[in-house]
Amino acid sequence: MMTAKEYRESLKVRNPLRVFMNGTLVEDPTEHPIVAASINSIALTYELAEDPKYRDTMTAKSALTGKTINRFCHLHQSPEELYRKCGMQRLLGQKCGTCFQRCVGMDSFNSVFLITYEIDKSYGTDYHSRFINYLKIAEERDWVVDGCMTDPKQDRSLRPSKAPDGYVRVVERKSDGVVIRGAKMHQTGAINSHEILVMPTVAMKQDEKEFAICCAVPAYAPGITYIYGRQSCDTRLMEDSSGECQDIGSAYGGQECIIVFDDVYVPSERVFMDGEYDFSGRLVETFAGYHRSSYACKTGVGDVAIGAAALIAEYNGVAGASHVRDKIVEMIHLNETIWSSCVACCYKGSRTPAGNYLIDMLLANVTKQNVTRFPYEIARLLQDIAGGLMVTMPGAKEFDNPETRGYIELYLAGAGQGTARNRFKLLRLIENLTMGRAAVGYLTESMHGAGSPQAQRIMIARLAELDKKKEMARRIARIED
Ligand code: SF4
Ligand code: FE
């Protein structure tokens, strides 16, 4: 396994990435303060794996080699291991309070492992052994892999064959590989990754074989361009962050970008689906199921939000007020309700024919549906308890200015440990979580990541076995058909 330091170095020794941000080519993305904050979050997945206290949570025994590997590279081997995965995600959410970006790789490993097995069974192909060979390298090198699914789609009323630029597709076949073209949207942690694992975005039809492509390319493969996504308040990271009261809220951040594939060559041994259109829908649903259960991360961020609410209530001198205590109980109830569905979908998981374990799909979709709602309510209650000072207090530099420091320290002081400086720091954290960069991960990503709410509702309707429930009602009501 890599250490956090080695991970940071490994990003630097990659061939240069072509990254655009704010209209300019970024010379060294790893040194850019906005990107650096997102690297800090993902580096925690290595740092905690080194820490004996968290080793059990963060590592697993490889099902392929028996070696100890980072759990983010692991094929889950039991319901207990699915649960441990959720525990790891909650822990990381607690440590960085934002998105740590590495789950998409783990979720794509488990789904591509399963689907390649199924394709080979149907078509006699050798995708599964190709993928196992790839995964062994990924485990050994402890790679961050961007599991990359969402296509731009353009006009959503059109099928891929009518809007080909909306979908990643094969544009050329060579004797030893394929060439792909298109783009992927909202790619979490892409620039911080070693590899990109491309998967189709929807179920394809018989005349859409060129869109049914699953393959892996190095993050620096020729033809790849990254266009960095903006986040609210992101340029605050580029301001002077010295001094005890930094104005930037948090040193941790998430990262999303568009990846453009402008004729990228993929050798055959890295192709894991090519034209088996009837399996593209299965791969999409399986990946979405794994990834929806991965949103255990938000319960970790929820823990930070609840802690911040309890602390600011103390600093404001209202911790004893019954309505404040009740609001904190409500926040805990909402957060633990998300967690309950995460745990349930793991323990109701089952063994796949390929040998790894798949979460319960209905409960995974219920988990994600809860995630589209409850963090917003938790954030609303947190802002309620925090008070309006969060958005009206002066900036950090006023603490450095002898003309204003005395006033700030006097008038911003609260109760007990709630000195002006402590309240300032905590309110900046709450601002970041509920309306700053971390809100990208805690709120909007909760809404739309791993599929927007309607996508889960379609799956919930499909998986709920409504006919069986109707039959139960009919039988008790003694209605004869
Ligand atoms: Fe992982 Fe959560 Fe970020 Fe998705 S949003 S990559 S599940 S931390
Ligand atoms: Fe995501």
Side-chain angles (χ1 to χ4, degrees), residues 89-379:
Q89 288 162 319
R90 185 166 186 166
L91 171 72
L92 281 157
Q94 291 169 342
K95 294 287 182 193
C96 67
T98 185
C99 170
F100 38 86
Q101 310 147 57
R102 206 175 167 184
C103 321
V104 278
M106 170 178 62
D107 297 335
S108 61
F109 290 159
N110 277 276
S111 30
V112 175
F113 178 78
L114 162 58
I115 302 301
T116 50
Y117 180 88
E118 292 184 359
I119 301 175
D120 288 2
K121 275 257 175 252
S122 273
Y123 287 99
T125 40
D126 66 345
Y127 296 128
H128 194 59
S129 54
R130 286 184 198 178
F131 187 67
I132 287 174
N133 289 339
Y134 175 77
L135 195 49
K136 280 182 184 165
I137 301 171
E139 285 182 357
E140 182 69 32
R141 301 201 184 154
D142 208 357
W143 275 340
V144 173
V145 174
D146 173 23
C148 180
M149 180 163 275
T150 310
D151 286 352
K153 301 189 187 80
Q154 298 181 330
D155 180 345
R156 283 162 196 250
S157 69
L158 300 176
R159 289 297 310 176
S161 50
K162 295 280 182 283
D165 288 329
Y167 298 83
V168 170
R169 63 210 180 276
V170 175
V171 291
E172 192 186 338
R173 290 186 181 284
K174 297 179 183 266
S175 57
D176 54 356
V178 296
V179 176
I180 58 169
R181 187 184 301 165
K184 293 284 185 187
M185 313 300 285
H186 324 297
Q187 286 311 302
T188 304
I191 287 159
N192 302 338
S193 300
H194 304 98
E195 288 272 320
I196 310 289
L197 180 52
V198 175
M199 295 169 284
T201 196
V202 289
M204 298 297 172
K205 297 185 173 167
Q206 192 164 12
D207 62 345
E208 296 165 346
K209 286 186 178 171
E210 70 268 36
F211 303 96
I213 177 76
C214 172
C215 60
V217 289
Y220 54 79
I224 294 185
T225 299
Y226 300 87
I227 305 170
Y228 209 86
R230 288 223 64 180
Q231 294 180 341
S232 61
C233 319
D234 53 3
T235 46
R236 269 163 82 164
L237 281 166
M238 298 169 72
E239 293 170 13
D240 178 16
S241 61
S242 58
E244 186 205 337
C245 287
Q246 298 176 7
D247 199 50
I248 56 172
S250 161
Y252 296 114
Q255 172 190 99
E256 286 80 28
C257 61
I258 298 173
I259 309 180
V260 178
F261 299 89
D262 196 356
D263 292 5
V264 175
Y265 168 69
V266 191
S268 300
E269 68 269 19
R270 283 169 156 262
V271 174
F272 312 122
M273 170 192 287
D274 181 13
E276 292 78 13
Y277 67 93
D278 42 339
F279 284 90
S280 57
R282 281 271 302 142
L283 179 52
V284 173
E285 277 178 20
T286 310
F287 173 76
Y290 274 120
H291 201 40
R292 283 168 196 170
S293 78
S294 278
Y295 275 65
C297 64
K298 303 305 178 208
T299 58
V301 184
D303 289 328
V304 177
I306 292 163
L311 207 50
I312 200 69
E314 280 177 26
Y315 290 178
N316 291 350
V318 295
S322 63
H323 73 97
V324 170
R325 289 210 307 262
D326 192 56
K327 281 167 188 159
I328 292 172
V329 169
E330 178 67 9
M331 293 167 83
I332 297 167
H333 166 74
L334 291 166
N335 203 40
E336 297 306 327
T337 303
I338 298 175
W339 180 246
S340 319
S341 44
C342 281
V343 174
C345 77
C346 295
Y347 279 111
K348 294 280 287 174
S350 54
R351 193 170 195 271
T352 72
N356 60 341
Y357 270 71
L358 181 64
I359 34 72
D360 180 279
M361 291 292 257
L362 175 58
L363 293 177
N365 279 279
V366 170
T367 302
K368 178 64 217 313
Q369 184 79 183
N370 288 342
V371 170
T372 64
R373 299 174 178 180
F374 299 168
Y376 285 86
E377 185 59 11
I378 293 171

